[in-house]
Amino acid sequence: MGDWTGYACRAVFLALTCGCTLAGLIAPPRALADGRYPAAQQVIEDPRDPRHLIVRATYGLLVTPDAGKNWLLICEEAVGYGGNQDPVLGLFENGNLMAGLFGGLALASEDGCSWSFARGGVSDMEIIDVTVDPAQRAHGLALATKQEPDRSCLHRLWHTSDNGTLWQELGPALPAQL
């Protein structure tokens, strides 16, 4: 985690695919603005390496492998969201990062070069919240909702025990309102 070798592909890929830039790496083609007041909303410290921090901000994710000496921007589009969405993040023991989005559960491997959506029943649901078990960091939960054809909403709780690879629904669906 201490050097930038695992982050180089992410920096170039993100800068080229979504218009994000890193100072001195790629010149911006034009001035871009997010439209929201910049604010940090969630900070995750990697339990394997406290120098590795991930910050969710109103304009994307900021990652540092060296306790804030250097920062890398992962823009919203690379993760799969935008606008006023503020996804909740979770970091598994193997370094996989999950982001709960309106369009599903996005997952990235430790190097962050590629993001994908979880497969199965959780794939087409709006993710309300996520968490990683601090005692067993390969385990996580996701609370999701989906509007049914009759316009009712049901909440579902999903569980993973393999760092976010496979998700299983826990129990029956819960009504949105009791």
Side-chain angles (χ1 to χ4, degrees):
M1 283 288 179
D3 63 42
W4 284 94
T5 55
Y7 295 91
C9 66
R10 178 170 44 190
V12 173
F13 171 78
L14 294 174
L16 294 175
T17 59
C18 62
C20 298
T21 62
L22 297 173
L25 178 65
I26 297 175
R30 62 183 190 258
L32 300 173
D34 183 66
R36 294 175 70 192
Y37 185 79
Q41 303 162 321
Q42 182 180 4
V43 177
I44 296 176
E45 179 183 47
D46 189 337
R48 301 169 304 154
D49 180 359
R51 297 171 304 146
H52 178 218
L53 303 172
I54 303 166
V55 178
R56 185 194 72 222
T58 55
Y59 49 86
L61 307 179
L62 298 169
V63 179
T64 179
D66 53 16
K69 291 179 187 172
N70 297 286
W71 290 92
L72 174 70
L73 171 67
I74 302 175
C75 59
E76 297 166 326
E77 293 85 1
V79 180
Y81 71 100
N84 290 329
Q85 192 171 172
D86 299 316
V88 179
L89 306 175
L91 183 65
F92 291 105
E93 73 179 357
N94 71 347
N96 285 355
L97 180 63
M98 69 173 157
L101 308 176
F102 294 155
L105 188 61
L107 301 166
S109 61
E110 184 173 18
D111 67 7
C113 283
S114 62
W115 287 81
S116 61
F117 281 89
R119 295 181 300 258
V122 73
S123 66
D124 62 346
M125 302 195 78
E126 178 181 337
I127 306 302
I128 299 169
D129 202 359
V130 299
T131 190
V132 173
D133 184 340
Q136 298 179 44
R137 297 199 57 81
H139 292 251
L141 294 172
L143 179 61
T145 190
K146 181 177 182 182
Q147 187 169 359
E148 301 297 318
D150 67 359
R151 309 214 23 97
S152 66
C153 288
L154 295 176
H155 295 326
R156 292 179 169 84
L157 188 61
W158 296 84
H159 174 261
T160 183
S161 59
D162 61 0
N163 295 294
T165 303
L166 299 173
W167 291 85
Q168 297 177 335
E169 188 172 358
L170 290 177
L174 307 167
Q177 296 182 3
L178 298 175

